[in-house]
């Protein structure tokens, strides 16, 4: 994924969460398009007003990701879909380890992109969904200061805690599908434990470096 695509995903509040993170109570009654708009605006405004974040302050960036992004996404569903049929072959402990490592990888990826936000704005398309729908897509585009707009769409599902983001489409590619091929390749070489180790090793590398926009 291109660095600019990474920063757009982050700016629009796309990241991974754990069940231990609880969204504010009012989010349970919030419409999916309004949730995405609110969180997106909150994150972008925070970054633009904080020079430390723009300068790459690790602690502030991580705090922003954890407090304003993670409560609104579904880590386990994203990991489960990326793993596909292999998810059912994993033990409960392996599933937890895989979700934790995958979440950590994406936190590093998107945290590194936050510092790149400058003058981008997000424009949302008209939202079309039936009130009874439990799975919807919110469509938007990111207007760049230079170059063509970037398409950015979200898939959300309705949970007891409110709507949660579980997939993102950047430039025509769904994130879960992109990682599915990577997961399958690693599992074919070293099994579920091999994939967990691969993600863990990558996270260890990222932890020892200054925040930036790492490639997948």
């Amino acid at each position: 994924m291109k660095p600019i695509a990474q920063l757009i995903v982050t700016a629009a509040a796309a990241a991974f969460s754990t069940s231990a993170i609880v969204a504010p109570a009012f989010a349970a009654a919030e419409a999916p398009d309004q949730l995405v708009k609110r969180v997106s605006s909150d994150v972008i405004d925070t970054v633009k007003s904080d020079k430390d974040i723009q300068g790459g302050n690790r602690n502030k960036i991580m705090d922003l990701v954890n407090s304003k992004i993670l409560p609104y996404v579904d880590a386990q569903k994203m990991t489960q879909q990326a793993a596909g049929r292999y998810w059912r072959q994993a033990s409960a402990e392996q599933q937890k380890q895989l979700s934790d490592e995958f979440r950590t990888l994406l936190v590093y990826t998107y945290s590194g992109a936050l510092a790149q936000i400058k003058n981008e704005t997000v424009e949302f398309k008209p939202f079309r969904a039936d009130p009874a729908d439990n799975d919807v897509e919110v469509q938007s585009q990111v207007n760049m200061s230079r170059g063509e707009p970037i398409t950015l769409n979200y898939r959300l599902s309705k949970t007891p805690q409110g709507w949660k983001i579980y997939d993102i489409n950047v430039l025509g590619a769904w994130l879960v599908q992109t990682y599915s091929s990577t997961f399958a390749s690693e599992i074919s070489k070293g099994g579920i434990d091999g994939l967990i180790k691969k993600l863990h090793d990558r996270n260890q590398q990222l932890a020892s470096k200054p925040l930036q926009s790492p490639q997948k």
Side-chain angles (χ1 to χ4, degrees):
M1 185 180 294
K2 298 178 181 179
I4 190 63
Q6 292 174 332
L7 85 86
I8 294 310
V9 172
T10 305
F16 289 73
S17 68
T18 64
S19 58
I21 300 172
V22 180
F26 71 84
E30 194 171 17
D33 59 325
Q34 292 302 315
L35 183 148
V36 175
K37 290 177 183 178
R38 175 178 60 79
V39 177
S40 173
S41 176
D42 192 12
V43 171
I44 291 176
D45 289 347
T46 299
V47 173
K48 288 182 176 180
S49 64
D50 194 312
K51 298 299 183 183
D52 290 336
I53 291 178
Q54 293 175 29
N57 184 297
R58 177 183 290 269
N59 291 336
K60 279 200 169 185
I61 291 173
M62 290 296 190
D63 182 65
L64 176 60
V65 172
N66 281 284
S67 65
K68 295 184 180 292
I69 296 176
L70 298 190
Y72 304 101
V73 293
D74 191 333
Q76 181 166 315
K77 184 169 184 175
M78 291 178 120
T79 310
Q80 180 176 349
Q81 292 199 342
R85 70 181 187 277
Y86 299 110
W87 182 261
R88 296 188 297 274
Q89 300 174 15
S91 67
E93 179 60 26
Q94 286 175 320
Q95 290 176 353
K96 181 181 184 302
Q97 290 178 340
L98 184 57
S99 294
D100 289 348
E101 294 294 347
F102 192 28
R103 168 189 176 272
T104 300
L105 173 64
L106 287 153
V107 167
Y108 279 124
T109 300
Y110 302 137
S111 293
L114 278 174
Q116 297 184 41
I117 296 175
K118 302 301 179 185
N119 299 310
E120 293 78 18
T121 60
V122 181
E123 177 183 339
F124 287 88
K125 306 297 184 182
F127 179 62
R128 296 181 176 86
D130 189 283
D133 288 344
N134 292 319
D135 195 288
V136 301
E137 181 177 332
V138 176
Q139 300 180 335
S140 72
Q141 70 177 33
V142 180
N143 300 317
M144 312 300 296
S145 56
R146 296 181 180 178
E148 295 296 318
I150 293 176
T151 298
L152 178 63
N153 299 334
Y154 310 82
R155 284 176 176 158
L156 300 91
S157 60
K158 195 171 187 178
T159 76
Q161 293 76 39
W163 290 94
K164 300 278 188 176
I165 297 168
Y166 70 89
D167 204 357
I168 307 128
N169 186 310
V170 182
L171 299 172
W174 287 102
L175 192 66
V176 166
Q177 185 177 6
T178 299
Y179 274 101
S180 292
S181 59
T182 302
F183 277 25
S185 176
E186 292 299 329
I187 291 172
S188 69
K189 291 184 289 186
I192 299 293
D193 286 336
L195 173 59
I196 293 171
K197 183 179 186 304
K198 182 74 172 183
L199 294 174
H200 177 76
D201 290 347
R202 179 58 173 153
N203 288 331
Q204 290 293 102
Q205 292 175 353
L206 295 176
S208 65
K209 298 178 180 179
L211 285 178
Q212 53 185 341
S213 294
Q215 298 300 310
K216 178 174 65 68

